[in-house]
Amino acid sequence: MEITKLFIALLILQAVFPSQSSMEAAPSSSNLFREYIGAEFNNVKFTDVPINPNVDFHFILSFAIDYDTSSSPSPTNGKFNVFWDSDNLSPSQVSSIKNQHSNVKVGLSLGGDSVANGYAYFNPSSVDSWVSNAVSSLTDIIKQNNLDGIDIDYEHFKADPDTFAECIGRLITTLKNNGVISFASIAPFDDDQVQSHYQALWKSYGHLIDYVNFQFYAYDQGTTVDQFMNYFKTQSSNYNGGKVLVSFISDGSGGLSPSDGFFTACHRLKGEQQLHGIFVWSADDSKANGFRYEKQSQALLAIHN
């Protein structure tokens, strides 16, 4: 009898104080490699980029923007148009690369830094009208191009953080519920206005966002390995529970470059089971160096722990 009482007391204690390990998500590494492509119109093709069969590979077309395609573009309140190099990265080429490589998916990035000679602003007339237009126009583009997911890369805003969160959150929710996309990511960087918008989105809709393509290359050129590790820790805290991917820029113009220790940092994170993937901006620039660092990134990701 006493043993039974003791056992019940232990069970109650266990329920009230669950073990630490069951409360925290286990850290994990992944073999995800992502590359932005098509923003600079220098004739780069999917087939130019080396694809390691032992990674999950995402091409991200850059960009679809809710602006018109006139010589002086203006906002269209969620009616997206294609602004990537669609001659070289056409629907048939998307289908072809996916047929050739079973590990390849192709996504689409929204917004970006600029359109024509000005900034690309997130500029909705209202939440309801923007979401309605965005769902309709993006569903058409995604289906026409045989795409798998979206990436959110707005960098300039004429709407407050809560409006941004609601518009983007409802867009992702609807596209996922309709089976139009299988993944969604966001691409913030360390800027107060940018972070306020993306953290509002994360707070309300983080559970629907599969990856955080944090632009670590937006930090100063000459970033050290130790600084990079601290930045990673900070952003993992800002996007708590998210899969924060590490990144570099092909032209070496910012952040921790592959020639200065980027892969040292990746090995450290991998050892800590915190390397959720690597992404690169961008294939357009990497073409000039023969995609040397893409090969190195994928080789690292393909190694089993």
Side-chain angles (χ1 to χ4, degrees):
M1 186 71 180
E2 287 303 312
I3 291 172
T4 310
K5 275 185 183 169
L6 185 64
F7 183 64
I8 290 168
L10 277 171
L11 279 178
I12 291 166
L13 272 173
Q14 225 172 353
V16 176
F17 302 106
S19 69
Q20 188 72 8
S21 61
S22 67
M23 289 171 73
E24 292 178 2
S28 65
S29 290
S30 88
N31 64 344
L32 177 63
F33 179 80
R34 316 185 88 202
E35 178 126 46
Y36 289 88
I37 189 168
E40 293 171 24
F41 289 80
N42 65 356
N43 300 318
V44 68
K45 297 178 172 68
F46 297 123
T47 49
D48 293 335
V49 184
I51 297 168
N52 185 314
N54 298 313
V55 301
D56 289 329
F57 194 114
H58 292 180
F59 282 110
I60 305 174
L61 292 166
S62 313
F63 291 94
I65 314 175
D66 53 332
Y67 272 64
D68 63 42
T69 55
S70 66
S71 56
S72 181
S74 55
T76 54
N77 189 37
K79 293 178 181 172
F80 282 84
N81 287 298
V82 168
F83 281 87
W84 71 82
D85 182 1
S86 55
D87 287 346
N88 288 293
L89 304 164
S90 66
S92 63
Q93 284 154 326
V94 170
S95 296
S96 175
I97 199 72
K98 286 168 71 171
N99 288 338
Q100 287 172 46
H101 300 275
S102 61
N103 59 321
V104 167
K105 290 185 168 72
V106 183
L108 167 63
S109 192
L110 310 183
D113 174 58
S114 59
V115 57
N117 296 316
Y119 288 144
Y121 284 98
F122 178 75
N123 190 17
S125 303
S126 70
V127 173
D128 286 347
S129 63
W130 189 91
V131 171
S132 175
N133 289 336
V135 167
S136 173
S137 60
L138 286 170
T139 297
D140 287 346
I141 291 171
I142 289 163
K143 288 186 170 175
Q144 284 163 11
N145 287 273
N146 189 21
L147 305 179
D148 303 288
I150 60 170
D151 174 65
I152 311 300
D153 188 24
Y154 282 102
E155 304 187 359
H156 308 281
F157 306 91
K158 289 190 174 174
D160 63 84
D162 288 341
T163 300
F164 177 70
E166 204 52 32
C167 285
I168 300 300
R170 281 166 57 179
L171 171 66
I172 293 170
T173 302
T174 307
L175 292 178
K176 281 196 167 185
N177 286 347
N178 291 350
V180 176
I181 59 171
S182 59
F183 62 79
S185 59
I186 56 174
F189 56 95
D190 192 33
D191 168 271
D192 287 347
Q193 194 192 31
V194 169
Q195 291 277 55
S196 68
H197 283 74
Y198 282 94
Q199 284 175 20
L201 172 61
W202 185 259
K203 188 177 175 187
S204 298
Y205 291 96
H207 59 288
L208 290 172
I209 295 164
D210 301 282
Y211 314 107
V212 180
N213 279 16
F214 199 85
Q215 299 182 44
F216 287 100
Y217 45 81
Y219 287 107
D220 290 344
Q221 190 177 17
T223 295
T224 67
V225 172
D226 285 344
Q227 284 173 323
F228 185 92
M229 296 297 286
N230 284 331
Y231 295 152
F232 180 84
K233 193 173 176 184
T234 299
Q235 301 311 333
S236 296
S237 171
N238 283 336
Y239 298 93
N240 191 27
K243 290 179 178 168
V244 176
L245 274 57
V246 298
S247 56
F248 65 86
I249 189 166
S250 308
D251 66 7
S253 61
L256 177 60
S257 73
S259 57
D260 288 336
F262 175 77
F263 293 112
T264 302
C266 288
H267 278 290
R268 274 202 211 169
L269 290 172
K270 198 171 174 72
E272 295 169 9
Q273 296 278 296
Q274 292 289 338
L275 186 62
H276 305 299
I278 297 171
F279 77 90
V280 183
W281 179 274
S282 67
D284 306 54
D285 290 319
S286 293
K287 192 177 175 185
N289 69 16
F291 302 96
R292 172 183 169 191
Y293 297 123
E294 279 79 353
K295 292 173 192 165
Q296 198 171 341
S297 297
Q298 291 176 72
L300 187 156
L301 291 167
I303 300 166
H304 294 297
N305 288 334

